[in-house]
């Protein structure tokens, strides 16, 4: 169920039928036409919605509202909230280890409100993105696309089992030729874009194009992976991921991911995920709405929260903004790492899966086999004699993971 609350922005009453666009900004249905003049759009379910000052898109309609409203003054504070302001003092000491001055290190931090109704996860991944830009020789736009996708996967994977992975494939028809990002519960990340050197005057939505958002969640002990798919409706990745979470997983959340890339250098990258947990009360939801509005105002840009991260605001401090007035208790922090699983054994496994005629042709022509890992850019070379020797000693079925991993240890 998507967040549904009533509020008043700049002393005007509106109904918030949902928030949780990619930027976590607020979407409202019109009640006072003059306030939302010329800001409407037609949704898929036939309702006409209007975007407020913080809104970009509704990701799921909820025909529910509360019976009262709270006022927001110019500073973004609630004048009628009876909730306690500030973070929980009991968590002050434990938060010391979460500090990350100027976002020097990559970090994923998660916290929960004192009443257990809201979970917040915030990531900064500037170093990781710079590393993969070097490995894959990425230009600005592909780096932005991968940075957003990788951030979304890190946010979604937070709290999963360590061995569990979640993968997104933005399978669009644009010139970027797709984006793939994978993250594990340990914070290990890898991925690639189809055209890492894409330049020109493209914007991200044009580069992605139309197509599908494909999600795969897997675990070594699961008999089969979980698969989900939705349509690419926006092409800026984080909004499409927000739509996926609402439509396919029915998760009530606000998601934002963005980067700031200048030439060959990423100066900021990261995002946040705000999730509504079971039994979250209406007063908590009102406060979360205020906090999201405050966060948007503090960032001041369209690529939320890149401006905050670039100015040195840390994941812990973003958690404090989003959980202001709700108490804040730490859950965990991890340092995401770019980890690739490519090996020479995996290359040979792929070779064994080729038709026998192709392998015989390679060996007859004494050709050297060359391959480049899409994830990390590492190059592998195998001569014909080495290939023959490996084929002579290979056992098991290369199409079966259990045979491959048993024989490659």
């Amino acid at each position: 169920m998507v967040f549904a609350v009533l509020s008043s922005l700049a002393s005007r009453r509106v109904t918030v039928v949902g928030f949780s666009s990619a930027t976590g900004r607020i979407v409202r249905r019109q009640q006072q036409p003059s306030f939302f003049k010329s800001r409407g759009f037609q949704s898929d379910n036939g309702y006409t919605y209007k975007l407020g000052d913080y809104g970009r898109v509704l990701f799921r309609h909820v025909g529910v509202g509360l019976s009262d409203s709270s006022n927001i003054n110019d500073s973004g504070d609630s004048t009628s909230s009876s909730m306690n302001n500030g973070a929980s003092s009991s968590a002050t000491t434990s938060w010391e280890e979460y500090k990350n001055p100027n976002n020097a290190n990559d970090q994923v931090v998660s916290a929960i409100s004192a009443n257990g109704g809201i979970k917040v996860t915030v990531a900064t991944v500037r170093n990781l993105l710079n590393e993969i830009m070097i490995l894959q020789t990425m230009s600005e736009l592909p780096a932005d696309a991968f940075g957003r996708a990788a951030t979304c996967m890190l946010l979604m994977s937070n709290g999963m089992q360590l061995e569990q992975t979640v993968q997104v494939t933005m399978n669009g028809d644009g010139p970027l030729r797709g984006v793939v990002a994978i993250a594990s519960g340990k914070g290990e990340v890898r991925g690639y874009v189809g055209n890492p050197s894409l330049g020109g005057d493209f914007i991200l939505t044009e580069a992605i194009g139309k197509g599908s958002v494909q999600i795969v969640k897997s675990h070594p002990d699961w008999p089969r992976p979980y698969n989900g798919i939705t349509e690419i409706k926006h092409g800026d990745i984080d909004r499409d991921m927000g739509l996926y979470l609402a439509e396919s997983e029915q998760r009530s959340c606000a998601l934002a991911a963005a980067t700031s890339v200048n030439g060959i250098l990423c100066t900021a990258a990261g995002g946040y995920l705000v999730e509504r947990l079971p039994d979250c009360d209406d007063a908590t939801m009102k406060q979360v709405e205020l906090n999201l509005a405050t966060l948007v105002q503090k960032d001041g840009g369209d690529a939320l929260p890149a401006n905050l991260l670039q100015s040195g605001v840390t994941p812990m401090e973003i958690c404090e903004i989003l959980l202001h007035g709700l108490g804040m208790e730490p859950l965990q922090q991890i340092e995401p790492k770019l980890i690739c699983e490519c090996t020479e054994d995996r290359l040979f496994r792929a070779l064994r899966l080729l038709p026998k005629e192709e392998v015989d042709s390679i060996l007859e022509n004494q050709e050297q086999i060359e391959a480049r890992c899409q994830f990390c850019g590492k190059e592998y070379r195998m001569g014909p004699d080495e290939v023959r020797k490996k084929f002579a000693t290979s056992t098991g079925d290369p199409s079966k993971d259990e045979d491959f991993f048993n024989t490659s240890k």
Side-chain angles (χ1 to χ4, degrees):
M1 179 176 183
V2 175
F3 299 152
V5 297
L6 284 176
S7 180
S8 173
L9 181 64
S11 300
R12 299 173 188 262
R13 184 184 297 269
V14 295
T15 300
V16 178
V17 292
F19 79 87
S20 186
S21 67
T23 60
R25 300 177 182 181
I26 302 166
V27 181
R28 303 167 173 79
R29 184 163 38 172
Q30 180 179 14
Q31 286 194 346
Q32 294 188 2
S34 61
F35 182 62
F36 294 110
K37 186 177 181 181
S38 74
R39 287 173 169 242
F41 69 97
Q42 189 73 24
S43 69
D44 294 338
N45 56 20
Y47 292 89
T48 298
Y49 295 101
K50 305 293 177 178
L51 305 188
D53 287 352
Y54 305 117
R56 274 176 66 186
V57 65
L58 174 71
F59 83 32
R60 192 177 179 214
H61 172 68
V62 179
V64 180
L66 304 180
S67 59
D68 198 3
S69 65
S70 62
N71 294 322
I72 307 176
N73 59 32
D74 291 339
S75 65
D77 295 325
S78 171
T79 59
S80 63
S81 174
S82 61
M83 304 190 70
N84 178 47
N85 289 327
S88 171
S89 59
S90 63
T92 302
T93 302
S94 58
W95 275 106
E96 289 296 320
E97 62 187 76
Y98 287 69
K99 290 185 175 180
N100 183 16
N102 297 317
N103 293 314
N105 301 314
D106 288 346
Q107 184 185 41
V108 181
V109 171
S110 59
I112 195 169
S113 60
N115 65 3
I118 296 291
K119 180 191 175 186
V120 174
T121 308
V122 186
T124 175
V125 294
R126 182 191 69 240
N127 298 330
L128 185 150
L129 187 52
N130 275 316
E131 183 179 357
I132 200 163
M133 286 176 67
I134 294 171
L135 290 173
Q136 298 190 16
T137 321
M138 281 188 184
S139 55
E140 289 186 42
L141 191 146
D144 179 36
F146 178 78
R148 290 172 182 242
T151 297
C152 290
M153 292 302 95
L154 280 169
L155 296 172
M156 287 178 58
S157 66
N158 184 263
M160 297 192 320
Q161 293 176 297
L162 297 181
E163 300 83 4
Q164 190 175 341
T165 62
V166 57
Q167 171 180 326
V168 61
T169 302
M170 301 292 295
N171 192 14
D173 60 4
L176 191 58
R177 301 204 299 268
V179 184
V180 175
I182 307 169
S184 71
K186 293 182 285 188
E188 297 176 346
V189 184
R190 63 186 186 277
Y192 62 90
V193 297
N195 185 1
S197 60
L198 179 66
D201 298 327
F202 294 105
I203 61 174
L204 181 59
T205 53
E206 295 172 342
I208 295 292
K210 298 298 182 181
S212 60
V213 180
Q214 301 169 8
I215 299 292
V216 179
K217 296 182 178 180
S218 60
H219 188 282
D221 296 335
W222 292 359
R224 62 184 63 85
Y226 164 84
N227 296 277
I229 185 169
T230 57
E231 178 188 0
I232 296 176
K233 293 184 178 180
H234 302 287
D236 49 11
I237 299 178
D238 52 348
R239 275 198 290 178
D240 290 303
M241 287 305 307
L243 282 163
Y244 165 80
L245 290 173
E247 294 176 358
S248 292
E249 298 190 11
Q250 289 76 53
R251 290 169 65 177
S252 183
C253 56
L255 172 66
T259 72
S260 176
V261 181
N262 299 306
I264 60 173
L265 179 67
C266 171
T267 56
Y272 66 78
L273 177 64
V274 184
E275 297 182 81
R276 181 180 185 176
L277 303 180
D279 301 322
C280 179
D281 58 43
D282 298 336
T284 299
M285 287 310 310
K286 286 184 179 181
Q287 187 63 39
V288 171
E289 178 195 356
L290 297 175
N291 295 343
L292 276 166
T294 299
L295 186 74
V296 173
Q297 291 172 342
K298 286 179 179 291
D299 184 84
D302 293 330
L304 187 72
N307 284 349
L308 288 171
L309 294 171
Q310 190 165 2
S311 64
V313 179
T314 66
M316 182 186 75
E317 291 166 340
I318 293 177
C319 285
E320 289 174 343
I321 296 171
L322 292 170
L323 291 175
H324 174 74
L326 301 174
M328 183 171 69
E329 299 177 3
L331 293 176
Q332 69 167 171
Q333 69 165 331
I334 58 175
E335 183 177 357
K337 296 288 187 181
L338 187 63
I339 301 294
C340 186
E341 298 179 347
C342 68
T343 64
E344 191 173 274
D345 286 335
R346 289 178 181 270
L347 169 60
F348 181 67
R349 181 190 188 187
L351 188 63
R352 289 182 65 197
L353 292 170
L354 292 175
K356 187 175 184 301
E357 306 81 55
E358 290 188 28
V359 176
D360 290 341
S361 175
I362 293 172
L363 296 177
E364 287 174 5
N365 295 326
Q366 297 289 303
E367 294 179 2
Q368 180 172 261
I369 296 173
E370 298 182 356
R372 185 175 185 271
C373 177
Q374 283 186 296
F375 293 108
C376 68
K378 184 175 181 180
E379 295 184 352
Y380 292 90
R381 294 179 176 83
M382 297 174 63
D385 293 338
E386 183 181 2
V387 172
R388 291 190 183 91
K389 182 178 178 181
K390 284 182 174 291
F391 265 103
T393 58
S394 61
T395 59
D397 185 347
S399 65
K400 297 180 179 179
D401 285 345
E402 55 269 26
D403 283 1
F404 169 72
F405 288 112
N406 286 337
T407 58
S408 62
K409 289 181 179 177

